[in-house]
Amino acid sequence: MNNTEVDLVLTMPIAPAAHLSAQKLSQQQTDPKKAKQVYLNALAVHAVDFYFQCMEIDTDLAASNIWNPVIQKFMDVADLEVKNLGNLECRPVREGEEFVSIPAEVRSDRIGYVAVEIAQSLEEVKLLGFVKKGDREKVPISKLESIENLLEYLDELQPEYLDELKPIHLIQWLHNVFDIGWEAAEKVFESRQKFQFDFRSTQTLEISDPANSVTQIKRIKTVELEPGEKVNLMLGIMPTNHGDLEIMVELCPAENEIMLPEDVELIVLDERGKSLVQARANKTDSLLFKLSAEQGEQFSVKVALGDFSHSELFFT
Amino acid sequence: MPTKDEIDDRLKQLAIAAQNHQPKTLGRQLAMTNFMAEVEKYKIVHSPRNTKFTPEIYRAICAEAKSDLTLRICREIHNYRPEKTVSQWVNFLMLKCFQESTPKVIGKKEFSIEYCGDMDRVFNQIQKQQLQNKFCQLEAALSDIIVEDPGGFFEGEVMKKYPHVNFKFLLVKKVIKDESWQDISHELGVNVSSLSSFYQRCVEKFTPRFKEYL
């Protein structure tokens, strides 16, 4: 949908605190042209952040590059992090301008570009619309998608499993508090003498010697992807001397199966839902990833087969 | 142009539509965005009359109050009762926001100097202040650092695929000569996105070093 006259353009007031912030940031720049750019960038970011506050969409304003005088000095950046989704670029537009400019330095790694028209009076802004891709230096205002589409787009980007899933706190596993459905690996081994999980490719997470004081935890959950199509998801954790956690994620065949379903995929995603590692089974009997995480990090594991998928959300 | 009754009715329907969705859902967000757009379109919010403040202070209080009001409307839409018109409800809230904003603005020393309500005046003010401040000297030091590049750090940062392109060259072109990416791309024979991504990575890498001069 293009932003024709019938589309919604939202006018929002600019809070005086946003002006004060913009003014202080612009004063860190010496070049008057740059100072203006920083002022307008800051107002644009504050305006979108304020709109998201109204919509109760979580952002991390403090993480924006508008606060970094060095980045502002060398680049034209107005980013706003939308939590769990990624960075949105907030591009200021002056009244009467027919295009929104997208500088080359922000044309990658953004989830979208919002055009913010700043009134000459500096009393209000208009959220004109947005584009998903910044592949052009100038985008005509008439080609923008509406703000309603932005809300729908952000909603689509929201990884559904982050909302629906009860997060698993791995630290609790170290205190022998386990989540329902996660069985001790050893218990599953007992019933499956013939097809034991293979730890050959891991070094830090070798099967624990009971006499060894280092805590190593391995738990397994059976996941049903399609009716009758099951796989075993195993998660192994071990704290390191540096306070980090070594993590092993392994996908294995279900009981009575030798191989994994050929098209099954194992994906590990970061807190924004961005894929970190991904592999397809093809004709193998296991998929294995090794990760390392600091305390307080978040990741999710997705097992997918055709239209079916299962996700688990973990906190370290 | 719709009549006052038609506007009241339309806004009431939109408010009820928003109430029918849970907070933080797409349905609520879309309904509230529509509601706010219509409230703005029909200009139903009125600032309380100015009886005792200078025009600058009054303008500042109104700006603060309008911003608070917008947030409050979104967060408190569940409190709207259809027995009242939307106009009555939002103006009742506006009066409260105005009263709450007044002491905040009066008590703020910085505020009235910072904000003039006109873009060109604000920029002129910024420019004047810059001429008097210490940053001019720092700027000169920064340019020197780029040109002299002690230790050759900037020059040593080269693009893997295009070894003839280094960070120092791009810094001089972008920061000192203010050239466009297109011109630099043309001169070097490397596309804009590769150049700008490399530049972006280098700026982030050297930020701690630059911070010493800013």
Side-chain angles (χ1 to χ4, degrees):
Chain A
M1 186 164 70
N2 288 336
N3 203 346
T4 56
E5 279 180 19
V6 291
D7 271 351
L8 179 145
V9 168
L10 186 65
T11 304
M12 302 281 287
I14 302 179
H19 280 291
L20 196 57
S21 161
Q23 179 126 7
K24 283 182 175 169
L25 293 170
S26 70
Q27 282 170 346
Q28 293 175 342
Q29 304 294 332
T30 45
D31 173 18
K33 194 174 141 200
K34 183 52 96 173
K36 277 184 200 176
Q37 184 190 86
V38 168
Y39 193 98
L40 296 175
N41 282 351
L43 281 189
V45 171
H46 277 292
V48 177
D49 182 65
F50 180 62
Y51 173 58
F52 285 170
Q53 273 185 51
C54 292
M55 295 294 111
E56 299 188 70
I57 295 172
D58 291 336
T59 59
D60 188 355
L61 180 64
S64 171
N65 277 311
I66 58 166
W67 310 110
N68 187 328
V70 175
I71 300 277
Q72 288 296 323
K73 166 80 194 159
F74 296 118
M75 298 196 284
D76 183 2
V77 183
D79 57 325
L80 176 65
E81 186 184 324
V82 185
K83 282 198 179 156
N84 297 321
L85 302 186
N87 283 327
L88 201 57
E89 186 70 20
C90 312
R91 299 308 313 166
V93 177
R94 302 278 289 262
E95 260 182 298
E97 284 178 345
E98 290 177 2
F99 294 87
V100 51
S101 305
I102 303 181
E105 55 265 38
V106 298
R107 268 181 246 163
S108 60
D109 72 17
R110 296 286 190 264
I111 56 171
Y113 302 81
V114 184
V116 183
E117 185 186 275
I118 297 167
Q120 179 68 20
S121 69
L122 291 174
E123 283 174 344
E124 60 187 27
V125 295
K126 283 191 168 73
L127 303 183
L128 298 175
F130 87 111
V131 281
K132 290 176 194 152
K133 291 207 186 312
D135 44 12
R136 283 180 288 175
E137 192 193 349
K138 282 183 184 296
V139 178
I141 302 297
S142 59
K143 295 284 178 204
L144 296 173
E145 289 192 58
S146 74
I147 287 300
E148 291 159 300
N149 285 21
L150 171 67
L151 292 172
E152 283 164 7
Y153 171 60
L154 294 179
D155 190 63
E156 282 163 22
L157 281 182
Q158 190 77 41
E160 72 286 359
Y161 47 85
L162 291 184
D163 276 346
E164 290 166 7
L165 288 181
K166 186 173 164 276
I168 293 168
H169 294 271
L170 292 173
I171 294 297
Q172 291 182 354
W173 285 18
L174 297 175
H175 299 101
N176 290 320
V177 178
F178 301 104
D179 300 78
I180 295 166
W182 288 88
E183 304 287 339
E186 294 79 5
K187 215 168 132 186
V188 181
F189 290 154
E190 271 174 26
S191 62
R192 302 186 61 217
Q193 289 301 320
K194 203 175 167 189
F195 306 114
Q196 283 196 0
F197 288 108
D198 187 354
F199 288 81
R200 66 186 176 277
S201 56
T202 65
Q203 289 158 6
T204 50
L205 289 165
E206 289 293 339
I207 291 174
S208 58
D209 170 0
N212 191 339
S213 61
V214 179
T215 318
Q216 300 177 350
I217 310 280
K218 292 174 286 291
R219 308 292 288 193
I220 287 181
K221 186 172 191 175
T222 302
V223 172
E224 184 163 12
L225 291 163
E226 289 175 10
E229 193 75 83
K230 290 179 183 172
V231 287
N232 278 329
L233 178 64
M234 184 174 73
L235 205 100
I237 55 167
M238 187 181 78
T240 68
N241 295 335
H242 314 291
D244 296 345
L245 268 189
E246 291 291 333
I247 298 165
M248 183 179 68
V249 183
E250 186 167 6
L251 195 65
C252 310
E255 207 166 348
N256 304 325
E257 297 288 338
I258 304 169
M259 309 292 272
L260 284 168
E262 199 172 328
D263 292 329
V264 74
E265 283 186 296
L266 179 65
I267 306 147
V268 178
L269 306 106
D270 68 10
E271 73 281 2
R272 295 174 182 177
K274 199 173 154 192
S275 166
L276 292 170
V277 276
Q278 181 164 4
R280 187 167 169 270
N282 292 325
K283 291 188 167 88
T284 53
D285 61 356
S286 103
L287 292 173
L288 173 70
F289 296 138
K290 271 178 67 181
L291 318 158
S292 171
E294 290 174 13
Q295 258 196 19
E297 285 193 276
Q298 178 188 323
F299 68 98
S300 58
V301 175
K302 186 173 179 179
V303 183
L305 180 65
D307 292 336
F308 292 84
S309 71
H310 176 91
S311 297
E312 296 281 343
L313 175 63
F314 299 96
F315 283 99
T316 56
Chain B
M1 185 71 188
T3 64
K4 188 181 169 298
D5 284 350
E6 283 167 347
I7 294 170
D8 283 346
D9 192 51
R10 167 130 186 89
L11 291 174
K12 188 175 285 185
Q13 297 311 320
L14 286 170
I16 293 168
Q19 288 177 330
N20 287 337
H21 295 277
Q22 289 296 313
K24 295 191 177 187
T25 59
L26 177 62
R28 168 68 75 94
Q29 290 162 350
L30 289 170
M32 278 316 297
T33 299
N34 265 302
F35 178 72
M36 290 197 303
E38 298 275 310
V39 165
E40 170 62 31
K41 181 175 161 188
Y42 294 117
K43 307 278 174 215
I44 61 163
V45 180
H46 305 292
S47 300
R49 195 184 292 268
N50 182 15
T51 52
K52 51 183 173 180
F53 304 111
T54 63
E56 291 76 22
I57 297 281
Y58 175 70
R59 181 203 277 266
I61 297 170
C62 288
E64 185 87 36
K66 274 184 193 164
S67 170
D68 289 351
L69 174 72
T70 306
L71 193 61
R72 250 178 114 156
I73 289 175
C74 292
R75 295 290 171 90
E76 295 180 22
I77 189 72
H78 57 274
N79 286 337
Y80 167 68
R81 295 284 168 262
E83 302 86 75
K84 302 263 181 197
T85 63
V86 167
S87 175
Q88 284 171 318
W89 181 60
V90 293
N91 282 301
F92 166 73
L93 281 182
M94 180 61 186
L95 187 61
K96 280 169 79 171
C97 290
F98 189 88
Q99 286 164 348
E100 285 166 17
S101 297
T102 304
K104 280 200 262 175
V105 172
I106 305 284
K108 208 179 279 181
K109 285 178 191 158
E110 285 178 296
F111 179 73
S112 56
I113 321 157
E114 305 292 347
Y115 174 61
C116 311
D118 177 82
M119 205 182 274
D120 294 332
R121 281 175 62 194
V122 168
F123 289 151
N124 285 339
Q125 200 183 15
I126 292 171
Q127 209 165 339
K128 268 186 211 158
Q129 285 172 352
Q130 276 167 340
L131 290 175
Q132 299 157 3
N133 75 18
K134 58 183 180 175
F135 288 114
C136 290
Q137 292 160 14
L138 290 176
E139 182 85 0
L142 187 68
S143 296
D144 288 349
I145 284 295
I146 291 171
V147 174
E148 287 165 19
D149 188 15
F153 293 112
F154 303 146
E155 199 161 13
E157 204 67 30
V158 296
M159 284 180 84
K160 273 188 191 146
K161 220 170 149 189
Y162 308 99
H164 65 293
V165 182
N166 66 63
F167 182 43
K168 181 185 169 182
F169 181 86
L170 295 181
L171 273 175
V172 170
K173 292 281 182 186
K174 279 302 291 176
V175 181
I176 298 176
K177 296 186 177 169
D178 196 21
E179 289 189 19
S180 74
W181 281 117
Q182 277 70 21
D183 291 347
I184 302 169
S185 163
H186 188 70
E187 183 181 342
L188 294 171
V190 179
N191 67 50
V192 169
S193 70
S194 301
L195 284 177
S196 60
S197 297
F198 169 73
Y199 180 78
Q200 187 185 351
R201 282 196 305 277
C202 291
V203 168
E204 280 160 10
K205 179 177 173 180
F206 287 104
T207 291
R209 192 172 162 79
F210 287 126
K211 268 197 175 147
E212 294 167 25
Y213 303 99
L214 273 169

